[in-house]
Amino acid sequence: MSEENIPSTRGAVDLSALANQGPQATDSAASAAASWTTNLDEAAFQQFVGLSQSVPAIVSLGSPRVQVSADLDAVLRKLVDAKGGKFVLGLVDAETYPQIAQAFQAQQIPMVVALVKGQPVPLFQGPAAEEQISQLFTQLEQLAVQQGLTGTIPPFSGTATDTEPPLPPLHQKAVDAIDAGDYAAAEAAYLEALNEKPNDHEAQVGVYQVRLLSRTQNLDLNKARDLAAQNPEDLGAQLDVADLDVIGGHVEDAFARLVLLISKLADDDRERVRRRLIELYAVVGNTDPRVAASRQKLARVLF
């Protein structure tokens, strides 16, 4: 998937105004534990943007003097550092460095934006629960895989240690295959894990995630949307756009599209779309409130 297929950001951010700032980053944390979180000033920002060519770079625009913002940054730091170098997090004091906030057209703080290959992907504004942020990070990681960002980078401070328990062998085999872009091998590994342990929920979700990545890897977002708009009866086209919307974080749009489609279909076609929707529910996370809301709408359509 090319950079032009990164989900809509409601207006691209012009980062060129900060391009001539110095490259030195600062990090006030002095801890032996590895951390991929850093404090950003104007001089450090452009170098941080450059990291988004290797891994998703998350920017939190807030203020340490605002409790909601400080609490959010603590959650973001925990979740990012737990990724072990797959993400980086830059904390910006938007009151001290308003130029950075202006570059993102921030209307309020806190505001959290991800950068993927230099392109902004808005995540959310205001406070958010840890579980919701974790689900957003899962979607962001899927987008990163599509963009070829599958590696890790060294921590900004401290010494890297195993931040997560090791995966079961077949799960690790699947992850390695995903990193290599071999989605067929990844699916086979997850299916083997399910064969050994039928109630392996993580493996089942892994199957759905890999299938989603495989289905969307060669899709062009604009072309897919045009095709779906011109051919509302084409189930394949509608399913493609729903897949791309989930990858891009437009979860409610994807769910609404498929629920509406199900309301108009019958028999095998209805079941095909329903199965896809159930898979996407699992990918997003069955505890996600957007899934719960969509399930209620689906139930009304089906019953």
Side-chain angles (χ1 to χ4, degrees), residues 120-261:
V121 181
L123 296 181
F124 60 91
Q125 294 184 0
E130 180 173 336
E131 184 175 332
Q132 292 174 302
I133 299 172
S134 182
Q135 293 293 342
L136 283 172
F137 279 10
T138 297
Q139 295 163 29
L140 181 60
E141 196 164 351
Q142 293 167 352
L143 176 61
V145 170
Q146 279 204 325
Q147 294 293 310
L149 306 184
T150 59
T152 60
I153 65 170
F156 294 125
S157 65
T159 303
T161 57
D162 291 332
T163 56
E164 296 180 350
L167 293 173
L170 287 171
H171 287 237
Q172 186 61 57
K173 183 179 180 180
V175 170
D176 291 342
I178 292 172
D179 288 346
D182 190 345
Y183 300 138
E187 181 176 350
Y190 279 132
L191 289 173
E192 187 177 351
L194 277 172
N195 186 55
E196 292 184 359
K197 186 180 177 182
N199 64 343
D200 187 339
H201 175 71
E202 295 300 324
Q204 184 62 77
V205 173
V207 170
Y208 295 153
Q209 290 174 335
V210 169
R211 287 176 178 171
L212 175 61
L213 292 171
S214 179
R215 290 194 302 264
T216 56
Q217 64 178 330
N218 295 318
L219 290 179
D220 180 288
L221 178 60
N222 293 328
K223 291 180 180 178
R225 287 197 183 283
D226 288 344
L227 182 61
Q230 294 169 12
N231 301 276
E233 306 302 321
D234 186 334
L235 295 189
Q238 303 303 322
L239 292 172
D240 284 347
V241 173
D243 282 346
L244 289 166
D245 275 344
V246 168
I247 286 284
H250 303 289
V251 173
E252 294 95 335
D253 292 343
F255 291 170
R257 178 183 294 271
L258 296 189
V259 170
L260 178 61
L261 199 56

Side-chain angles (χ1 to χ4, degrees), residues 10-296:
R10 305 189 188 99
V13 177
D14 181 7
L15 302 177
S16 61
L18 300 175
N20 295 323
Q21 301 292 344
Q24 297 302 313
T26 61
D27 190 348
S28 61
S31 171
S35 178
W36 286 265
T37 301
T38 186
N39 295 323
L40 295 178
D41 57 15
E42 292 175 354
F45 185 71
Q46 195 61 32
Q47 180 177 342
F48 186 80
V49 173
L51 293 176
S52 72
Q53 299 295 330
S54 301
V55 296
I58 298 166
V59 179
S60 176
L61 301 161
S63 169
R65 294 167 293 281
V66 176
Q67 191 59 48
V68 170
S69 182
D71 292 344
L72 175 62
D73 284 349
V75 173
L76 290 170
R77 179 190 295 269
K78 172 187 172 183
L79 294 176
V80 167
D81 288 350
K83 290 292 184 181
K86 291 183 178 180
F87 291 176
V88 291
L89 171 64
L91 306 179
V92 177
D93 185 338
E95 296 175 342
T96 304
Y97 304 107
Q99 186 178 6
I100 300 178
Q102 290 166 8
F104 287 103
Q105 302 174 8
Q107 300 299 312
Q108 70 176 76
I109 60 171
M111 173 181 176
V112 181
V113 181
L115 295 168
V116 176
K117 291 189 174 180
Q119 299 299 309
V121 181
L123 296 181
F124 60 91
Q125 294 184 0
E130 180 173 336
E131 184 175 332
Q132 292 174 302
I133 299 172
S134 182
Q135 293 293 342
L136 283 172
F137 279 10
T138 297
Q139 295 163 29
L140 181 60
E141 196 164 351
Q142 293 167 352
L143 176 61
V145 170
Q146 279 204 325
Q147 294 293 310
L149 306 184
T150 59
T152 60
I153 65 170
F156 294 125
S157 65
T159 303
T161 57
D162 291 332
T163 56
E164 296 180 350
L167 293 173
L170 287 171
H171 287 237
Q172 186 61 57
K173 183 179 180 180
V175 170
D176 291 342
I178 292 172
D179 288 346
D182 190 345
Y183 300 138
E187 181 176 350
Y190 279 132
L191 289 173
E192 187 177 351
L194 277 172
N195 186 55
E196 292 184 359
K197 186 180 177 182
N199 64 343
D200 187 339
H201 175 71
E202 295 300 324
Q204 184 62 77
V205 173
V207 170
Y208 295 153
Q209 290 174 335
V210 169
R211 287 176 178 171
L212 175 61
L213 292 171
S214 179
R215 290 194 302 264
T216 56
Q217 64 178 330
N218 295 318
L219 290 179
D220 180 288
L221 178 60
N222 293 328
K223 291 180 180 178
R225 287 197 183 283
D226 288 344
L227 182 61
Q230 294 169 12
N231 301 276
E233 306 302 321
D234 186 334
L235 295 189
Q238 303 303 322
L239 292 172
D240 284 347
V241 173
D243 282 346
L244 289 166
D245 275 344
V246 168
I247 286 284
H250 303 289
V251 173
E252 294 95 335
D253 292 343
F255 291 170
R257 178 183 294 271
L258 296 189
V259 170
L260 178 61
L261 199 56
I262 288 170
S263 71
K264 299 177 180 179
L265 298 172
D267 302 327
D268 290 346
D269 287 341
R270 170 181 276 209
E271 180 61 14
R272 176 187 175 191
V273 178
R274 188 194 70 82
R275 287 180 180 274
R276 177 65 60 82
L277 183 56
I278 296 303
E279 289 191 14
L280 294 180
Y281 284 162
V283 168
V284 173
N286 286 317
T287 60
D288 189 292
R290 296 167 296 183
V291 171
S294 180
R295 283 189 183 279
Q296 292 178 356

